[in-house]
């Protein structure tokens, strides 16, 4: 019997994507463009938050949005109604964007005229946290209807995030959401991450989010 051949895998399966992501990050840094990966489950309020942010900061920051979805262009049309550049990327059934897809999206934006580009990733609390898109900041949104236990169930998402936004706090009284317990659960995964409760509908907490965004952009360009 022939000797069994053992193949040694020398390269991590994500290595190619990691190299692409580093290239994207370097180009964005040279341009002074802050690229943000915005992640959440479906319906947490990513598009609503982006619309409110664009409206509030349009005199200060020029935004471009990469909308990632399995199908449709609903969110891209919504963003354009707020006056920002937007491009729709269909993932072909994949549950996340990778660096190559993000690069294609950036190529469709006039990046020289932008300050911030945001990837509105596919609604999912698992896959988007696993793939480096080339973004220099990772923002995740958890809505109060989802419950305060999610950091325990989806640890990587919270470990990877640079800021956690708790959305829809205007309806928190109608749901069994314990903010103190949520913060405790987040700290088990990421002890220093800022946690910002917000409501894009009422405006509560949004100024804190806007200032975080300003500070991050300033730090990226310094």
């Amino acid at each position: 019997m022939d000797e069994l051949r053992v193949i040694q895998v020398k390269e991590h399966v994500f290595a190619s994507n990691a190299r692409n992501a580093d290239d994207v990050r370097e180009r964005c840094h040279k341009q002074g463009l802050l690229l943000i990966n915005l992640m959440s489950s479906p319906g947490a309020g990513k598009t609503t938050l982006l619309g409110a942010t664009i409206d509030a900061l349009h005199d200060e920051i020029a935004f471009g949005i990469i909308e990632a979805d399995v199908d449709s262009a609903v969110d891209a049309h919504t963003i354009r109604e707020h006056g920002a550049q937007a491009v729709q990327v269909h993932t072909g059934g994949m549950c996340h964007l990778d660096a190559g897809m993000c690069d294609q999206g950036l190529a469709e934006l006039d990046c020289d005229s932008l300050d911030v580009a945001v990837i509105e990733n596919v609604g999912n609390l698992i896959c988007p946290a696993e793939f480096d898109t080339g973004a220099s900041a990772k923002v995740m949104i958890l809505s109060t209807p989802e419950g305060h236990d999610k950091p325990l169930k989806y640890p990587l998402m919270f470990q990877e995030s640079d800021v956690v936004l708790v959305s829809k706090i205007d309806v928190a009284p109608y749901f069994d959401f314990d903010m103190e317990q949520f913060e405790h659960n987040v700290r088990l995964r990421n002890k220093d991450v800022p946690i910002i409760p917000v409501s894009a509908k009422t405006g509560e907490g949004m100024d804190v989010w806007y200032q975080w965004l300003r500070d991050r952009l300033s730090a990226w360009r310094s």
Side-chain angles (χ1 to χ4, degrees), residues 6-7 76 122-123 169 200 220 222:
V6 178
I7 300 173
V122 180
I169 59 171
W220 180 241
S222 64

Side-chain angles (χ1 to χ4, degrees), residues 52-67:
T53 302
I54 293 164
D55 291 345
L57 300 180
H58 69 276
D59 288 335
E60 303 176 47
I61 298 174
F63 288 92
I65 312 298
I66 300 171
E67 290 289 350

Side-chain angles (χ1 to χ4, degrees), residues 53-96:
T53 302
I54 293 164
D55 291 345
L57 300 180
H58 69 276
D59 288 335
E60 303 176 47
I61 298 174
F63 288 92
I65 312 298
I66 300 171
E67 290 289 350
D69 282 300
V70 174
D71 205 347
S72 89
V74 173
D75 291 341
H77 288 303
T78 299
I79 289 298
R80 287 184 176 183
E81 290 174 359
H82 290 272
Q85 294 185 47
V87 59
Q88 186 74 49
V89 176
H90 287 164
T91 64
M94 296 178 67
C95 56
H96 62 275

Side-chain angles (χ1 to χ4, degrees), residues 39 94-97 121 124-132 156-157:
M39 302 173 287
M94 296 178 67
C95 56
H96 62 275
L97 278 188
N121 220 317
N124 189 319
L125 289 180
I126 302 174
C127 302
E130 296 178 339
F131 286 81
D132 191 347
L156 185 63
M157 177 63 72

